[in-house]
Amino acid sequence: MKILYVITGLSGGGAEKVVADLADQMQLRGHQVKIAYLKGMNIVVKPNSQAIELIYLGFETLSDFIFASKKYRELIAFFQPDIVHAHMVHANIFSRLNRIGCSIPKLICTAHSNNEGGKLRMLAYQFTKSLSNLDTNVSKRAVNEFIEKKAFNESALAIYNGIDLCKYNKFDISMDEILGDTKKSATKILLAVGRLNIAKDYSNLLKALFVIKTTQNSSFKLYIVGEGEERSHIIELISSLGLTHSVELLGRRDDIPALMSAADIFVLSSAFEGFGLVVAEAMACETFVVATDCGGVKEVMGNTGILVPPKDSLALAQALVTAMNMFEVDIKKNNVKALQHIKNNFDLQIIVEKWLNLYEK
């Protein structure tokens, strides 16, 4: 089978990792795979396989649409894919519009959030939905919201993102070994991973830590992994809240499974999410999770860890204090249950088989 993945870009992010993993797995199963990406010359996430060609379409602004469409149609004519599987809003709309006058056997469009933009994007989904064979999103909650907005047809499906359990598993390692930062017995190590942007709502997390620092006798250190446009604002907020010695920005890292394993608590403070891939990754590494109830995070956690409402710093602070004060035996019991939930529902091999079944229908 010939499979063409189309994605908005290949910068660091959950959707990009999902596509790279899917491409690798399909290649390993003997299929011919290519990835076309609309914009961003700086590639951060890519498949492991060197045999998977990455094609830049050059759709940086609306004025590039005709040029990018020409390049895309030439790719379709040359590669003749059996399946085009688009990911994220720009790639989904682009692939749909380019189906007009460009025959492909099957087009699947996957959204990666219950919040892929405002009314104009939802209208674009609504007016082009007849051009795709199947629409999917990464959680049941997100699918239902898209159907309510008339962005998806009733036939839309929820297909969860998959976790490579060969990569995300428990490492016997300490933060001291990774970063050279000695973990004192009374200090709880917190970890947050994700782009430094508004969606991840790090302000919410930092305000929660300020509440803990000023009202509780709790010793903690938070490490934040990621880069993004909110970095300078986050640094300013850390300073203004007096958290300079309690919070450290690590930038982009390639050792996420080790960091997750070394942390006592993984925390997600997002205002909105699609699937919450980093939460599933932390659970696979047997790390206790405190997260906001947004997007598909509740489905990912499956009655483990602690969920709190988004944008509620007091609730997040209380949840973190509760987690920091839990008995070790209860933490371990939770983490074993969480790992089993991941194995049962989000193992990459299971998810790949689901996609293959949809491709072959």
Side-chain angles (χ1 to χ4, degrees):
M1 189 187 308
K2 293 181 180 180
I3 306 168
L4 175 64
Y5 291 104
V6 185
I7 189 167
T8 301
L10 290 170
S11 59
E16 293 86 345
K17 286 194 287 184
V18 166
V19 170
D21 283 343
L22 265 180
D24 274 328
Q25 291 298 318
M26 295 302 175
Q27 183 80 16
L28 287 171
R29 284 163 170 75
H31 302 289
Q32 296 180 54
V33 182
K34 296 182 187 293
I35 298 177
Y37 60 104
L38 300 186
K39 60 182 181 178
M41 295 294 286
N42 183 30
I43 295 175
V44 176
V45 176
K46 62 181 179 180
N48 293 322
S49 174
Q50 299 295 318
I52 299 172
E53 184 183 3
L54 309 179
I55 301 107
Y56 172 62
L57 297 179
F59 188 17
E60 299 290 345
T61 66
L62 280 174
S63 62
D64 298 322
F65 180 80
I66 293 176
F67 168 80
S69 295
K70 182 175 182 294
K71 194 169 182 179
Y72 172 77
R73 288 166 184 254
E74 288 172 352
L75 172 61
I76 295 294
F78 171 75
F79 186 45
Q80 296 187 334
D82 300 295
I83 297 288
V84 174
H85 188 175
H87 293 259
M88 305 172 72
V89 58
H90 296 92
N92 288 338
I93 303 303
F94 177 85
S95 299
R96 287 177 175 185
L97 290 174
N98 273 288
R99 201 173 189 187
I100 299 171
C102 179
S103 178
I104 57 172
K106 182 181 286 188
L107 173 62
I108 297 175
C109 292
T110 296
H112 282 261
S113 177
N114 63 328
N115 184 353
E116 282 210 331
K119 291 182 178 179
L120 283 178
R121 290 183 180 182
M122 292 302 103
L123 282 172
Y125 267 127
Q126 182 177 342
F127 287 117
T128 61
K129 62 185 177 183
S130 63
L131 295 169
S132 61
N133 296 93
L134 175 67
D135 296 323
T136 75
N137 211 321
V138 293
S139 72
K140 294 174 184 177
R141 178 175 176 177
V143 166
N144 290 336
E145 289 190 25
F146 266 55
I147 291 173
E148 288 172 7
K149 295 173 183 176
K150 303 187 186 306
F152 279 2
N153 290 316
E154 294 283 342
S155 59
L157 298 175
I159 306 292
Y160 292 128
N161 291 336
I163 304 298
D164 186 350
L165 295 177
C166 294
K167 183 189 300 183
Y168 287 93
N169 51 56
K170 183 70 174 175
F171 282 70
D172 185 13
I173 196 167
S174 69
M175 204 62 79
D176 182 25
E177 293 174 272
I178 301 171
L179 302 174
D181 189 2
T182 303
K183 177 182 174 181
K184 298 176 183 179
S185 59
T187 300
K188 293 293 183 179
I189 301 296
L190 314 181
L191 179 70
V193 177
R195 280 191 58 81
L196 307 185
N197 60 20
I198 294 173
K200 301 302 179 185
D201 201 4
Y202 286 108
S203 297
N204 179 30
L205 175 54
L206 294 173
K207 290 172 184 175
L209 295 184
F210 174 74
V211 171
I212 296 171
K213 194 175 181 68
T214 55
T215 63
Q216 302 287 327
N217 185 26
S218 300
S219 179
F220 62 84
K221 181 69 176 283
L222 168 69
Y223 295 99
I224 300 177
V225 177
E227 290 290 353
E229 59 274 14
E230 288 288 296
R231 182 181 177 87
S232 59
H233 170 69
I234 290 169
I235 290 173
E236 289 174 7
L237 190 57
I238 290 170
S239 177
S240 66
L241 294 175
L243 296 171
T244 304
H245 299 296
S246 301
V247 180
E248 184 175 340
L249 302 184
L250 298 180
R252 199 183 306 279
R253 302 279 301 197
D254 296 321
D255 55 352
I256 304 300
L259 288 167
M260 287 177 168
S261 298
D264 295 302
I265 300 167
F266 182 85
V267 55
L268 182 89
S269 56
S270 297
F272 55 87
E273 281 284 342
F275 174 72
L277 186 64
V278 288
V279 169
E281 291 168 350
M283 292 166 65
C285 294
E286 299 181 58
T287 305
F288 193 92
V289 173
V290 173
T292 48
D293 184 7
C294 56
V297 173
K298 185 174 184 178
E299 294 168 49
V300 172
M301 290 178 66
N303 296 316
T304 67
I306 302 176
L307 271 176
V308 298
K311 299 185 178 182
D312 189 337
S313 299
L314 289 176
L316 182 56
Q318 184 55 58
L320 288 170
V321 170
T322 298
M324 286 190 277
N325 291 330
M326 284 177 68
F327 292 116
E328 188 64 27
V329 64
D330 294 325
I331 290 283
K332 283 192 173 183
K333 184 178 178 180
N334 172 89
N335 294 349
V336 168
K337 181 181 177 182
L339 175 60
Q340 193 58 51
H341 180 66
I342 294 297
K343 287 180 176 179
N344 291 344
N345 296 281
F346 310 115
D347 184 340
L348 180 60
Q349 303 307 317
I350 294 173
I351 302 303
V352 168
E353 289 303 319
K354 288 185 178 181
W355 281 122
L356 276 174
N357 288 336
L358 290 174
Y359 292 172
E360 291 168 354
K361 273 187 177 181

mmCIF file of all heavy atoms in Angstrom, residues 316-338:
data_model
loop_
_atom_site.group_PDB
_atom_site.id
_atom_site.type_symbol
_atom_site.label_atom_id
_atom_site.label_comp_id
_atom_site.label_asym_id
_atom_site.label_seq_id
_atom_site.Cartn_x
_atom_site.Cartn_y
_atom_site.Cartn_z
ATOM 1 N N LEU A 316 -5.396 23.352 41.364
ATOM 2 C CA LEU A 316 -4.155 22.708 40.936
ATOM 3 C C LEU A 316 -3.155 22.649 42.083
ATOM 4 O O LEU A 316 -2.480 21.622 42.287
ATOM 5 C CB LEU A 316 -3.558 23.468 39.742
ATOM 6 C CG LEU A 316 -2.280 22.897 39.124
ATOM 7 C CD1 LEU A 316 -2.480 21.448 38.689
ATOM 8 C CD2 LEU A 316 -1.844 23.750 37.924
ATOM 9 N N ALA A 317 -3.083 23.720 42.870
ATOM 10 C CA ALA A 317 -2.180 23.748 44.026
ATOM 11 C C ALA A 317 -2.564 22.661 45.026
ATOM 12 O O ALA A 317 -1.700 21.920 45.521
ATOM 13 C CB ALA A 317 -2.216 25.121 44.688
ATOM 14 N N GLN A 318 -3.850 22.543 45.311
ATOM 15 C CA GLN A 318 -4.314 21.539 46.264
ATOM 16 C C GLN A 318 -4.026 20.126 45.778
ATOM 17 O O GLN A 318 -3.621 19.249 46.546
ATOM 18 C CB GLN A 318 -5.809 21.701 46.532
ATOM 19 C CG GLN A 318 -6.349 20.752 47.597
ATOM 20 C CD GLN A 318 -5.609 20.851 48.911
ATOM 21 O OE1 GLN A 318 -5.537 21.924 49.520
ATOM 22 N NE2 GLN A 318 -5.038 19.743 49.384
ATOM 23 N N ALA A 319 -4.217 19.900 44.484
ATOM 24 C CA ALA A 319 -3.955 18.580 43.908
ATOM 25 C C ALA A 319 -2.474 18.221 44.009
ATOM 26 O O ALA A 319 -2.122 17.075 44.325
ATOM 27 C CB ALA A 319 -4.404 18.548 42.453
ATOM 28 N N LEU A 320 -1.613 19.194 43.754
ATOM 29 C CA LEU A 320 -0.169 18.947 43.852
ATOM 30 C C LEU A 320 0.244 18.658 45.294
ATOM 31 O O LEU A 320 1.065 17.766 45.545
ATOM 32 C CB LEU A 320 0.608 20.144 43.295
ATOM 33 C CG LEU A 320 0.556 20.314 41.771
ATOM 34 C CD1 LEU A 320 1.147 21.659 41.360
ATOM 35 C CD2 LEU A 320 1.300 19.175 41.078
ATOM 36 N N VAL A 321 -0.327 19.386 46.240
ATOM 37 C CA VAL A 321 -0.035 19.138 47.659
ATOM 38 C C VAL A 321 -0.498 17.737 48.051
ATOM 39 O O VAL A 321 0.215 16.995 48.744
ATOM 40 C CB VAL A 321 -0.701 20.203 48.551
ATOM 41 C CG1 VAL A 321 -0.608 19.811 50.021
ATOM 42 C CG2 VAL A 321 -0.044 21.559 48.327
ATOM 43 N N THR A 322 -1.691 17.372 47.594
ATOM 44 C CA THR A 322 -2.218 16.030 47.878
ATOM 45 C C THR A 322 -1.276 14.957 47.331
ATOM 46 O O THR A 322 -0.952 13.983 48.015
ATOM 47 C CB THR A 322 -3.617 15.857 47.264
ATOM 48 O OG1 THR A 322 -4.507 16.795 47.861
ATOM 49 C CG2 THR A 322 -4.145 14.444 47.487
ATOM 50 N N ALA A 323 -0.837 15.140 46.085
ATOM 51 C CA ALA A 323 0.066 14.166 45.462
ATOM 52 C C ALA A 323 1.406 14.096 46.187
ATOM 53 O O ALA A 323 1.959 13.008 46.398
ATOM 54 C CB ALA A 323 0.272 14.523 43.998
ATOM 55 N N MET A 324 1.926 15.255 46.603
ATOM 56 C CA MET A 324 3.218 15.283 47.284
ATOM 57 C C MET A 324 3.168 14.620 48.655
ATOM 58 O O MET A 324 4.187 14.147 49.159
ATOM 59 C CB MET A 324 3.717 16.734 47.408
ATOM 60 C CG MET A 324 4.215 17.318 46.093
ATOM 61 S SD MET A 324 5.058 18.909 46.295
ATOM 62 C CE MET A 324 3.668 20.032 46.349
ATOM 63 N N ASN A 325 1.974 14.569 49.250
ATOM 64 C CA ASN A 325 1.823 14.007 50.596
ATOM 65 C C ASN A 325 1.301 12.569 50.607
ATOM 66 O O ASN A 325 1.084 12.003 51.678
ATOM 67 C CB ASN A 325 0.889 14.890 51.427
ATOM 68 C CG ASN A 325 1.523 16.231 51.758
ATOM 69 O OD1 ASN A 325 2.739 16.336 51.890
ATOM 70 N ND2 ASN A 325 0.711 17.272 51.868
ATOM 71 N N MET A 326 1.104 11.984 49.421
ATOM 72 C CA MET A 326 0.597 10.619 49.348
ATOM 73 C C MET A 326 1.643 9.609 49.832
ATOM 74 O O MET A 326 2.849 9.819 49.671
ATOM 75 C CB MET A 326 0.170 10.274 47.917
ATOM 76 C CG MET A 326 -1.145 10.888 47.497
ATOM 77 S SD MET A 326 -1.576 10.527 45.764
ATOM 78 C CE MET A 326 -1.883 8.759 45.871
ATOM 79 N N PHE A 327 1.168 8.501 50.408
ATOM 80 C CA PHE A 327 2.066 7.422 50.809
ATOM 81 C C PHE A 327 2.653 6.759 49.564
ATOM 82 O O PHE A 327 1.972 6.634 48.529
ATOM 83 C CB PHE A 327 1.325 6.383 51.651
ATOM 84 C CG PHE A 327 0.908 6.888 53.005
ATOM 85 C CD1 PHE A 327 -0.435 6.999 53.333
ATOM 86 C CD2 PHE A 327 1.856 7.266 53.947
ATOM 87 C CE1 PHE A 327 -0.836 7.462 54.579
ATOM 88 C CE2 PHE A 327 1.465 7.730 55.206
ATOM 89 C CZ PHE A 327 0.121 7.832 55.518
ATOM 90 N N GLU A 328 3.882 6.308 49.681
ATOM 91 C CA GLU A 328 4.571 5.694 48.548
ATOM 92 C C GLU A 328 3.817 4.468 48.029
ATOM 93 O O GLU A 328 3.755 4.241 46.818
ATOM 94 C CB GLU A 328 5.993 5.296 48.955
ATOM 95 C CG GLU A 328 6.856 4.815 47.801
ATOM 96 C CD GLU A 328 7.107 5.897 46.757
ATOM 97 O OE1 GLU A 328 7.081 7.094 47.102
ATOM 98 O OE2 GLU A 328 7.321 5.526 45.573
ATOM 99 N N VAL A 329 3.225 3.696 48.920
ATOM 100 C CA VAL A 329 2.501 2.507 48.487
ATOM 101 C C VAL A 329 1.291 2.869 47.631
ATOM 102 O O VAL A 329 0.968 2.167 46.654
ATOM 103 C CB VAL A 329 2.061 1.659 49.717
ATOM 104 C CG1 VAL A 329 1.056 2.425 50.586
ATOM 105 C CG2 VAL A 329 1.481 0.333 49.274
ATOM 106 N N ASP A 330 0.638 3.985 47.936
ATOM 107 C CA ASP A 330 -0.514 4.436 47.146
ATOM 108 C C ASP A 330 -0.077 4.988 45.797
ATOM 109 O O ASP A 330 -0.767 4.802 44.784
ATOM 110 C CB ASP A 330 -1.300 5.484 47.926
ATOM 111 C CG ASP A 330 -1.959 4.912 49.172
ATOM 112 O OD1 ASP A 330 -2.387 3.739 49.118
ATOM 113 O OD2 ASP A 330 -2.025 5.619 50.195
ATOM 114 N N ILE A 331 1.066 5.668 45.797
ATOM 115 C CA ILE A 331 1.632 6.163 44.534
ATOM 116 C C ILE A 331 1.933 4.992 43.601
ATOM 117 O O ILE A 331 1.580 5.003 42.416
ATOM 118 C CB ILE A 331 2.920 6.977 44.797
ATOM 119 C CG1 ILE A 331 2.608 8.304 45.492
ATOM 120 C CG2 ILE A 331 3.688 7.213 43.495
ATOM 121 C CD1 ILE A 331 2.044 9.372 44.594
ATOM 122 N N LYS A 332 2.581 3.956 44.140
ATOM 123 C CA LYS A 332 2.946 2.798 43.318
ATOM 124 C C LYS A 332 1.711 2.076 42.792
ATOM 125 O O LYS A 332 1.659 1.660 41.630
ATOM 126 C CB LYS A 332 3.808 1.829 44.130
ATOM 127 C CG LYS A 332 5.255 2.278 44.277
ATOM 128 C CD LYS A 332 6.113 1.156 44.825
ATOM 129 C CE LYS A 332 7.586 1.568 44.793
ATOM 130 N NZ LYS A 332 8.464 0.458 45.262
ATOM 131 N N LYS A 333 0.709 1.933 43.643
ATOM 132 C CA LYS A 333 -0.528 1.277 43.223
ATOM 133 C C LYS A 333 -1.180 2.036 42.069
ATOM 134 O O LYS A 333 -1.648 1.443 41.093
ATOM 135 C CB LYS A 333 -1.475 1.195 44.422
ATOM 136 C CG LYS A 333 -2.779 0.450 44.147
ATOM 137 C CD LYS A 333 -3.642 0.383 45.398
ATOM 138 C CE LYS A 333 -4.959 -0.321 45.121
ATOM 139 N NZ LYS A 333 -5.824 -0.387 46.342
ATOM 140 N N ASN A 334 -1.230 3.357 42.189
ATOM 141 C CA ASN A 334 -1.783 4.202 41.127
ATOM 142 C C ASN A 334 -0.999 4.032 39.832
ATOM 143 O O ASN A 334 -1.573 3.898 38.748
ATOM 144 C CB ASN A 334 -1.749 5.671 41.556
ATOM 145 C CG ASN A 334 -2.127 6.615 40.430
ATOM 146 O OD1 ASN A 334 -3.293 6.931 40.235
ATOM 147 N ND2 ASN A 334 -1.136 7.083 39.664
ATOM 148 N N ASN A 335 0.321 4.058 39.933
ATOM 149 C CA ASN A 335 1.167 4.032 38.748
ATOM 150 C C ASN A 335 1.100 2.694 38.015
ATOM 151 O O ASN A 335 1.180 2.645 36.779
ATOM 152 C CB ASN A 335 2.609 4.376 39.118
ATOM 153 C CG ASN A 335 2.751 5.805 39.600
ATOM 154 O OD1 ASN A 335 1.825 6.614 39.473
ATOM 155 N ND2 ASN A 335 3.895 6.141 40.164
ATOM 156 N N VAL A 336 0.956 1.602 38.766
ATOM 157 C CA VAL A 336 0.792 0.283 38.142
ATOM 158 C C VAL A 336 -0.528 0.241 37.372
ATOM 159 O O VAL A 336 -0.598 -0.255 36.239
ATOM 160 C CB VAL A 336 0.841 -0.828 39.210
ATOM 161 C CG1 VAL A 336 0.372 -2.162 38.620
ATOM 162 C CG2 VAL A 336 2.251 -0.972 39.767
ATOM 163 N N LYS A 337 -1.587 0.771 37.967
ATOM 164 C CA LYS A 337 -2.897 0.825 37.309
ATOM 165 C C LYS A 337 -2.838 1.701 36.054
ATOM 166 O O LYS A 337 -3.414 1.360 35.010
ATOM 167 C CB LYS A 337 -3.937 1.373 38.289
ATOM 168 C CG LYS A 337 -5.348 1.450 37.737
ATOM 169 C CD LYS A 337 -6.306 2.024 38.780
ATOM 170 C CE LYS A 337 -7.716 2.159 38.202
ATOM 171 N NZ LYS A 337 -8.654 2.769 39.194
ATOM 172 N N ALA A 338 -2.130 2.821 36.162
ATOM 173 C CA ALA A 338 -2.008 3.739 35.028
ATOM 174 C C ALA A 338 -1.266 3.084 33.868
ATOM 175 O O ALA A 338 -1.663 3.213 32.700
ATOM 176 C CB ALA A 338 -1.286 5.010 35.472
#
